[in-house]
Amino acid sequence: MITIVLSERDFDYELQALVNSFFPWQKSTVCVETEEEIDTDAGLLRAIEKQNGEAAGKKSDAKAEEKAEDGQFAIGIVFKKKEISILVLCGSICLSKSVTVSGEDDWHRHKDKSAHPYRTYYKNELKRLLFHMLCEIPEKDLPAGIVRKIPDWGTMTGVRPTKIPMNELLQGKTGRQVEESLKQWYCCTDEKRHLCLSVAQKEAELLKDIDFDNGYSLYIGIPFCPTTCLYCSFPSYPFEQFGHLAGQYLQALKKEIVSVAKECRGHKLTSIYIGGGTPTALTAEQLDELLACVRTCFPVDDGYEFTVEAGRPDSITREKLEVLRRHGVERISVNPQTMQQKTLDLIGRKHTVTETKEAFQMAKELGFTNINMDLIAGLPGETLEDFSDTLQQIRQLNPDSLTVHSLVVKRASRLRSVLEQAGDYVQEEKIRCERMEQMLIMAQEFAKQEGYQPYYMYRQKNSAGHFGSSGQENIGFSREGKECLYNILIMEEMQTIVAVGAGASTKRYHPDKKIVSRVENVKSITDYISRIDEMIERKKGIFVAER
């Protein structure tokens, strides 16, 4: 256990995430004590003992070295007037450093810290200091069983690393200046700096003509799937069991679409994305009904991007693809996740590798010129040879874009419980994650060789209590002109995303404050159907400026 003790609760989430990125297989906890209590090594130890519920009968003036147990690992952070102090106790060693911060006195006691003009600067100074201190701990002094891994992403702990260079590019900084900033302030490796900057530059190029302030994109959620994959933690419902609700769901969904279309009048539509779930789990007639509603409600002359995530090959038929073509859908996904039949059988994908190839070729024959394929690195049981073979089979299909995801085993997935029951979960996860990192490198090399460029990226976080992988990136690669604007906009949060359907999350962009607020829909299909008027009411006035 690594204990993080703060003199006040601020930056706690970011600090814990940074510590976890150094020691991804250790549990950590955060507690708060007063500045006076943790400003010395002995005081920090007392706070830890208090946190751990240990007996308080030890001498208060004893030195930390005399009191620390071999397995003790603690970090104390004190916010002072114009100064931040960090104390690291690791076994028998003690490291202490501080950094002076400029700006207002007692910045951390500002009545509205979240709006303080120097807040980002303070956070970066704090994280950078802690990063270097954790790097300085001698390997031999780490407590038994704790292994350190210097994070490639440095102090960047968020899921959207490209937001930082994107903002700097929009401020007029050059690529060289942005890359230097990533090195100096965020301590990224050369490889991650180059990847992050190249994606941000591509995004900036693609978004240069987009109306962020007055435009919007539309997301339509279809929560049905043919079956639920073993690794899935998203709200999706097997069509065999819940398909009888599809008619009622569509009626409610169309009602919400009609309503939001009225709210969006006078604003330019950038993109439509129909996802899920698996939209093609619906019948051809139901798809036709849905798309007819969309095309009636939204202006076809806006020239917007139109994507449908066809997804599972076992849900794709010629008739459904013809419906998509008839309604002007330009971009689709045919997502195998892997081209290894043994893995497909294991994870509950009820289709064959042959069916994936047939669905892809059928889409090409019908005239689709922008087809994406999704792959997942790190699927259970897959070797590097398996992943290499998958890439070679993808090469033969030659899709227009390729999205490579890293598998993070979420607590809500059935895979988590299966792996835990199978044996030593932590040790097996360590092996799988190491293999997954190699797979991601292979995927990037493959994309480069095949002429794909990375155009959007985000990172995954393990939701199971900061325990496990520190988060790997998911990257969208594309041939020139085949990128998906919606994927960039949903990640960068620079435009309002109006989302309809069960489990959909609307992101309202506030151009004056450059922030996003959320409007959530209920996840349950039955709740969505019965409470559709409430879902509609939540989005009323979504484009009305706040006073």
Side-chain angles (χ1 to χ4, degrees), residues 195-478:
L195 173 63
C196 198
L197 177 59
S198 62
V199 171
Q201 289 174 322
K202 188 64 177 179
E203 289 181 342
E205 175 191 336
L206 293 169
L207 298 181
K208 65 180 184 298
D209 297 323
I210 299 299
D211 186 345
F212 298 131
D213 295 355
N214 298 305
Y216 71 101
S217 290
L218 175 68
Y219 175 82
I220 301 172
I222 307 298
F224 300 101
C225 272
T227 58
T228 301
C229 296
L230 192 64
Y231 55 79
C232 184
S233 60
F234 293 107
S236 65
Y237 300 83
F239 200 78
E240 185 176 335
Q241 297 171 254
F242 296 90
H244 65 283
L245 295 172
Q248 297 176 64
Y249 179 79
L250 275 178
Q251 292 307 309
L253 182 60
K254 289 194 298 181
K255 187 176 182 179
E256 188 177 18
I257 289 171
V258 170
S259 176
V260 299
K262 294 177 182 176
E263 295 291 324
C264 296
R265 284 177 184 167
H267 299 268
K268 185 175 176 59
L269 178 59
T270 301
S271 63
I272 298 177
Y273 192 101
I274 302 181
T278 305
T280 44
L282 299 175
T283 67
E285 292 76 14
Q286 290 167 338
L287 270 177
D288 187 53
E289 180 183 349
L290 170 62
L291 293 172
C293 175
V294 172
R295 298 293 280 188
T296 300
C297 292
F298 293 92
V300 296
D301 58 350
D302 262 9
Y304 50 78
E305 172 188 87
F306 201 165
T307 299
V308 173
E309 192 174 346
R312 294 272 291 265
D314 49 335
S315 71
I316 298 172
T317 66
R318 178 173 291 272
E319 189 179 7
K320 293 176 186 179
L321 291 175
E322 288 173 342
V323 168
L324 300 182
R325 288 287 294 159
R326 191 163 61 249
H327 287 286
V329 175
E330 306 161 349
R331 183 179 183 275
I332 64 171
S333 288
V334 178
N335 298 335
Q337 314 302 14
T338 178
M339 299 297 272
Q340 307 303 303
Q341 192 60 52
K342 62 179 182 180
T343 310
L344 292 172
D345 296 339
L346 174 65
I347 63 178
R349 303 274 292 190
K350 302 299 183 182
H351 63 84
T352 65
V353 172
T354 299
E355 285 176 317
T356 297
K357 296 177 179 179
E358 290 173 347
F360 183 90
Q361 295 299 346
M362 189 191 310
K364 295 289 282 188
E365 290 168 9
L366 288 172
F368 286 96
T369 58
N370 195 346
I371 306 176
N372 174 74
M373 300 190 88
D374 277 12
L375 297 179
I376 298 179
L379 286 168
E382 286 214 345
T383 65
L384 295 178
E385 291 73 22
D386 290 333
F387 192 71
S388 177
D389 180 70
T390 289
L391 292 175
Q392 298 315 309
Q393 294 193 56
I394 294 298
R395 173 182 278 123
Q396 294 172 8
L397 293 174
N398 194 27
D400 302 286
S401 60
L402 179 68
T403 307
V404 182
H405 302 268
S406 54
L407 177 65
V408 173
V409 182
K410 301 293 182 71
R411 183 180 311 203
S413 68
R414 289 185 295 124
L415 179 58
R416 175 69 183 240
S417 59
V418 169
L419 291 174
E420 286 178 338
Q421 293 169 11
D424 188 343
Y425 171 70
V426 172
Q427 184 57 34
E428 289 300 317
E429 272 295 275
K430 286 182 180 180
I431 295 171
R432 189 187 66 81
C433 288
E434 289 173 0
R435 190 182 299 135
M436 179 172 66
E437 290 185 12
Q438 297 177 62
M439 290 176 177
L440 293 173
I441 293 172
M442 291 168 60
Q444 291 183 49
E445 278 299 312
F446 170 84
K448 184 177 180 180
Q449 292 169 6
E450 295 301 305
Y452 297 99
Q453 291 185 329
Y455 77 96
Y456 93 104
M457 173 179 63
Y458 66 99
R459 298 173 68 201
Q460 297 250 98
K461 288 187 295 184
N462 192 321
S463 62
H466 299 289
F467 189 58
S469 171
S470 59
Q472 301 293 342
E473 61 265 24
N474 303 316
I475 307 177
F477 301 95
S478 173

Side-chain angles (χ1 to χ4, degrees), residues 9-234:
R9 190 169 291 280
D10 201 4
F11 306 124
D12 47 313
Y13 180 84
E14 292 95 335
L15 292 167
Q16 188 175 21
L18 178 57
V19 171
N20 291 336
S21 68
F22 271 90
F23 310 100
W25 301 102
Q26 287 295 317
K27 291 183 178 179
S28 61
T29 185
V30 176
C31 60
V32 179
E33 297 292 343
T34 64
E35 175 182 327
E36 292 74 18
E37 288 178 306
I38 64 172
D39 202 20
T40 64
D41 49 3
L44 178 57
L45 271 172
R46 285 195 299 272
I48 298 166
E49 291 168 357
K50 177 181 177 182
Q51 173 70 13
N52 295 340
E54 296 177 358
K58 300 178 181 179
K59 295 181 180 179
S60 61
D61 59 350
K63 292 183 179 179
E65 296 92 317
E66 297 172 347
K67 296 178 67 178
E69 300 176 1
D70 289 341
Q72 187 66 70
F73 194 162
I75 300 165
I77 298 175
V78 178
F79 300 106
K80 300 179 179 180
K81 182 178 180 180
K82 304 193 77 169
E83 183 182 69
I84 299 168
S85 295
I86 301 180
L87 187 67
V88 176
L89 299 178
C90 183
S92 62
I93 70 164
C94 175
L95 299 176
S96 179
K97 287 188 178 182
S98 62
V99 60
T100 301
V101 289
S102 59
E104 296 180 11
D105 291 350
D106 287 334
W107 62 271
H108 59 292
R109 302 192 190 283
H110 195 272
K111 65 179 181 179
D112 185 7
K113 289 186 290 186
S114 63
H116 196 285
Y118 285 90
R119 182 173 179 79
T120 299
Y121 159 71
Y122 298 139
K123 179 180 68 175
N124 289 341
E125 284 282 25
L126 169 59
K127 292 173 69 176
R128 184 168 62 161
L129 179 61
L130 179 58
F131 178 90
H132 289 301
M133 291 181 72
L134 294 178
C135 287
E136 290 172 10
I137 299 173
E139 290 279 356
K140 63 181 180 61
D141 290 311
L142 288 170
I146 292 184
V147 178
R148 177 180 58 197
K149 178 182 178 182
I150 308 299
D152 292 342
W153 282 104
T155 65
M156 296 176 74
T157 54
V159 299
R160 299 179 179 88
T162 54
K163 286 183 73 70
I164 293 169
M166 262 289 283
N167 287 334
E168 294 189 348
L169 289 171
L170 291 174
Q171 292 167 12
K173 291 186 179 181
T174 65
R176 184 184 295 274
Q177 289 172 323
V178 173
E179 190 160 5
E180 182 59 33
S181 173
L182 292 174
K183 179 180 180 179
Q184 177 184 350
W185 284 101
Y186 300 99
C187 311
C188 302
T189 63
D190 292 346
E191 178 192 356
K192 297 305 182 187
R193 286 201 309 272
H194 177 71
L195 173 63
C196 198
L197 177 59
S198 62
V199 171
Q201 289 174 322
K202 188 64 177 179
E203 289 181 342
E205 175 191 336
L206 293 169
L207 298 181
K208 65 180 184 298
D209 297 323
I210 299 299
D211 186 345
F212 298 131
D213 295 355
N214 298 305
Y216 71 101
S217 290
L218 175 68
Y219 175 82
I220 301 172
I222 307 298
F224 300 101
C225 272
T227 58
T228 301
C229 296
L230 192 64
Y231 55 79
C232 184
S233 60
F234 293 107

Side-chain angles (χ1 to χ4, degrees), residues 525-537:
I525 291 178
T526 52
D527 285 346
Y528 176 78
I529 293 169
S530 64
R531 297 168 59 186
I532 186 59
D533 291 336
E534 179 187 337
M535 302 303 102
I536 290 172
E537 191 63 32

